[in-house]
Amino acid sequence: MKKLLLLFICLSIVSLENAQAQKKKGKKSKAVAAPAAKSKDKDAIKSYADVITKEAITDDGLFKTHQVKKEYFYEIPFNVLNKDMLWVSRIAQIPEGLGGGYMNAGSKTNEQVVHWLRFQDKILLKIKSFSNIAPDTKAIAKSVQVNNYEPTLYAFNIEAFNADSTAVVINVTKFFSEDVPAISGLSSRLRKEYKVKKLDASRSFVNSVKSFPENIEVKQDFTYSASEPPTQAKSESISLQMNQSMILLPEVPMQPRLYDPRVGFFTVSQNDFGSMQLKADEKTYIRRWRLEPKDPEAYARGELVEPVKPIIYYLDPGTPENLKAYMKQGIEDWQKPFETAGFKNAIIAKDAPTPEEDPEFSPEDIRYSVVRYVASTTRNAVGPSVSDPRSGEIIESDIIWYHNHLRSYRNRYLLETGAANVSARTLDTPEEEIGEMMRMVIAHEVGHALGFPHNMAASYSYPVESLRDGAFTQEFGLAASLMDYTRYNYVAQPGDKNIRFIRQMGPYDHYAANWGYRYIAEANSAEEEVPVLDQWIAEKANDPKYKFGRQSSTFDPQSQTEGVGDDPVAASTYGLKNLKYVAANLPAWTSDKTNNYDDLEELYGELLGVYSRYVGHVVTNVGGVFEDLKKPEQGGFVYTRLDEKSQRASMQWLQKNIFATPEWLIDKSILQNIDHAGYFEKVRKLQERHLNSLLSFDRLGRLMDAETTAVNYYSALEMLKDLRTGLWSEANSAKNVAIYRRNLQRSYIDRMGYLLKEEYTPRRFNRGGFEGAINYEVAASDVRALVRGELTSLRSKLKIARKAGVNTVTRYHYDDAIARIDTYLDTSSK
């Protein structure tokens, strides 16, 4: 009974507390009822009219875009959700000096594929990758999806639906006003360099949002707080304008063309997990524009046919008037190679429309490819492009031309051709010749934008002596491709007649354009094209004019930057002979004309660089290995060594032309008018650069490797002995050693010491077509033994030479050299 009474009392208490709690709760709810409802409404999906009010400024296109006061909205049709779109972030306006001179208005900062999808009451902007793929019809596609989960770039609340519920409205103001790294103009490196603190929201805003049938363009003005900005340091600010382009990719991707390394193209790659090859099949496609014939039947008959959509380049509105014609010629020079591929008028140059003609035109608009003229002191030009990663289709490209670049070409023209070319012996190069140089640079950069990388074997296809033949050079130019770095004919000698000195299109350019762009109507897939493509290569396989050489000048004598002709020793001999003539006349062509030394100093500095390139071409012969890309059915080897005789001759050339003091460079009329001191250091740096290149782990590894497969070869030991004997020739003849040779000899000992004690880290490139170094375990190889043996032999020789009646400074030099050797040998043995 007591238990029942106790239970009754407890229940009564609980009931009373609940009643009081409900009473309090009711009073509290009444007090805050309105705010709670308001908060709920804020998160709820509103009516279209409440979001897109009568004040809205609407632009119709891929999405409808709306501006309501200071807010921006996207109205996204449901039928474009989940569709692939290319998003390109570019700098539209840039402060001086940002990025060190190689960033500019028009520079691309990111390129990515995105798609929009709905998740509950949100719209997600997802970044999509095509690195790993599988056909949707195969079960493994599910595994590819779950193991390649796409990052969410941003999540937007659904604000409203349109009247017929066919589209969803989101507010994009915050997204475009925030500092989103994936679409930013400042990389993490730049943020660190300039000590960027944060985006200043009070000085950042959306400038404009424009919608077009297939793309949307957004401009943002951003100002960052930064402790060390590139310019205007006291402002502690970096301001730049970004342009965000989003374009709908084709519903049906262009039929891709499989890459073949025997023909040079930029590429996109995918891992296809649907392959039956017991592994993911890496598929690599070339990057190219979509050119399809307007009249397929006429095209099939071999007639020239216009493409459905030609490639059009617009000239930057800021291009100087006197340069426009040369730029247009450079662009349209590619019409001839495209004719080889069966297309006429495939590429066209136009002036940009004026604001009156097209107020919507913008160089950043992804619909337009533009040759951007950049008011910058940078000396360069580049030809980037953006492409569809599904197929390699190039969507758009901007050629970048920096204002001061012609200065470099004027200087190189004078230095490399002045001996044989009278019109180059001036600071005021004739305008038509400057224009021709610009035309070829633009054509070269357009070549990159068409998908063609550098072909460094193109210059090697022409015999050196043919470059002294006027008829040959006028017809065939200086190299088989404009995509080589053969800028000028530095082989031609004074007295040679009718010589072409400036590069031009070559037969390889026509061949590559045909291989990459000819429409193969009968093929319904990339794989079905391969037999035809292989046949085209086979037809030209034994002709050096149609050879492609990757940009890998570390080991291949035929694929060298700035090379000319098929014999680096002969070409560099001619080039050096011309350069000595130019050096002797440099004051007369510069300071004597201008009455100041600015140009003399600039050109002398660049002359040292030209000389160094000539030497470097010969250095590559030592331990040189030719790379001839081929399929097994072609027979022969892909990699073959340069013959022993040529390597020995190259070493002799180097002893004579770089390690023997280049007295012709030590011209008082130049040096004593451009600097007060440091003359010996200029020579030392030049010599040391090539000495260190010869004495590299990489080159020694290739020389040692020759012993494994060759019968007659130039060995690492022979190279080291030849080098030591030449560099220390004074020790063999009791001669005094001059200051330039003393510096070089010390550099030799220090480099040998480096080989004894340092570890080897092979240089690797992340860019396709750039070949890395040989990888081997140095400590387990002959390197240390060979170096120790050479230093020991040298020490013995110097101990004798120091007693042979040499002057005091030479004796001191030998004593110091012996002490250095002892230090390295003692250190390396511990």
Side-chain angles (χ1 to χ4, degrees), residues 278-493:
L278 304 182
K279 67 178 184 66
D281 184 15
E282 183 177 2
K283 292 183 176 179
T284 302
Y285 303 123
I286 67 172
R287 293 178 60 187
R288 58 180 183 149
W289 296 78
R290 183 185 290 213
L291 291 185
E292 298 168 340
K294 279 184 178 179
D295 186 343
E297 293 181 359
Y299 189 88
R301 293 194 299 269
E303 298 175 23
L304 290 180
V305 174
E306 290 186 344
V308 173
K309 184 179 180 181
I311 303 164
I312 299 175
Y313 276 97
Y314 294 91
L315 300 193
D316 191 311
T319 305
E321 290 293 335
N322 64 314
L323 299 178
K324 285 185 175 182
Y326 303 115
M327 283 191 166
K328 289 179 179 179
Q329 286 177 323
I331 295 166
E332 294 186 349
D333 277 339
W334 282 98
Q335 287 188 356
K336 290 297 182 183
F338 277 127
E339 287 178 7
T340 302
F343 294 99
K344 67 179 179 181
N345 300 323
I347 185 167
I348 300 167
K350 292 184 177 182
D351 289 326
T354 65
E356 292 74 25
E357 293 169 332
D358 184 357
E360 299 288 348
F361 180 86
S362 168
E364 289 79 35
D365 190 330
I366 199 168
R367 293 176 297 165
Y368 305 117
S369 294
V370 180
V371 180
R372 303 294 298 258
Y373 196 95
V374 180
S376 167
T377 57
T378 298
R379 297 186 183 185
N380 199 13
V382 293
S385 61
V386 296
S387 59
D388 184 344
R390 305 171 303 173
S391 63
E393 178 185 356
I394 296 174
I395 304 297
E396 176 267 357
S397 83
D398 280 357
I399 309 301
I400 311 297
W401 177 275
Y402 296 91
H403 179 72
N404 278 21
H405 198 34
L406 280 177
R407 178 82 167 196
S408 295
Y409 276 82
R410 182 208 68 176
N411 290 356
R412 292 277 297 274
Y413 192 55
L414 185 153
L415 295 170
E416 296 185 25
T417 76
N421 180 12
V422 176
S423 67
R425 301 171 186 173
T426 177
L427 299 174
D428 298 316
T429 311
E431 182 176 317
E432 65 180 47
E433 293 175 41
I434 284 287
E436 178 71 2
M437 297 172 208
M438 184 180 206
R439 171 184 176 181
M440 293 304 148
V441 180
I442 291 294
H444 178 96
E445 302 305 337
V446 169
H448 287 320
L450 297 175
F452 304 119
H454 292 133
N455 177 7
M456 293 306 182
S459 57
Y460 206 85
S461 64
Y462 291 170
V464 169
E465 292 302 324
S466 69
L467 299 172
R468 298 188 60 188
D469 184 327
F472 181 92
T473 58
Q474 293 296 340
E475 181 176 359
F476 297 106
L478 315 184
S481 173
L482 185 70
M483 302 313 296
D484 201 323
Y485 265 171
T486 303
R487 305 175 202 268
Y488 295 114
N489 184 349
Y490 59 75
V491 163
Q493 297 293 294

Side-chain angles (χ1 to χ4, degrees), residues 5 10 83 130 211 336 339 398 415 454 499 509 571 578 806:
L5 181 61
C10 290
K83 290 194 174 182
F130 292 90
S211 187
K336 290 297 182 183
E339 287 178 7
D398 280 357
L415 295 170
H454 292 133
I499 298 296
D509 301 314
N578 284 339
V806 294

Side-chain angles (χ1 to χ4, degrees), residues 512-556:
N514 182 75
W515 189 91
Y517 280 94
R518 179 165 285 278
Y519 186 71
I520 305 176
E522 61 272 22
N524 295 314
S525 69
E527 288 72 19
E528 288 184 15
E529 290 184 343
V530 171
V532 177
L533 298 173
D534 277 352
Q535 180 59 36
W536 291 344
I537 293 175
E539 291 170 357
K540 308 291 188 183
N542 297 318
D543 191 330
K545 293 193 298 295
Y546 304 104
K547 175 180 172 57
F548 174 70
R550 296 191 282 187
Q551 191 162 341
S552 53
S553 59
T554 56
F555 68 86
D556 190 348

Side-chain angles (χ1 to χ4, degrees), residues 64 190 243 464 530 731:
K64 282 184 179 179
L190 292 178
N243 190 92
V464 169
V530 171

Side-chain angles (χ1 to χ4, degrees), residues 606-647:
E606 292 192 29
L607 181 144
L608 299 180
V610 172
Y611 169 46
S612 184
R613 280 193 292 272
Y614 296 166
V615 172
H617 295 155
V618 180
V619 170
T620 304
N621 273 357
V622 180
V625 178
F626 293 112
E627 181 182 60
D628 296 300
L629 301 170
K630 58 179 66 180
K631 288 188 175 181
E633 64 186 15
Q634 293 177 248
F637 296 109
V638 173
Y639 296 100
T640 55
R641 291 178 178 82
L642 181 64
D643 64 273
E644 177 187 7
K645 181 180 179 181
S646 295
Q647 292 193 54

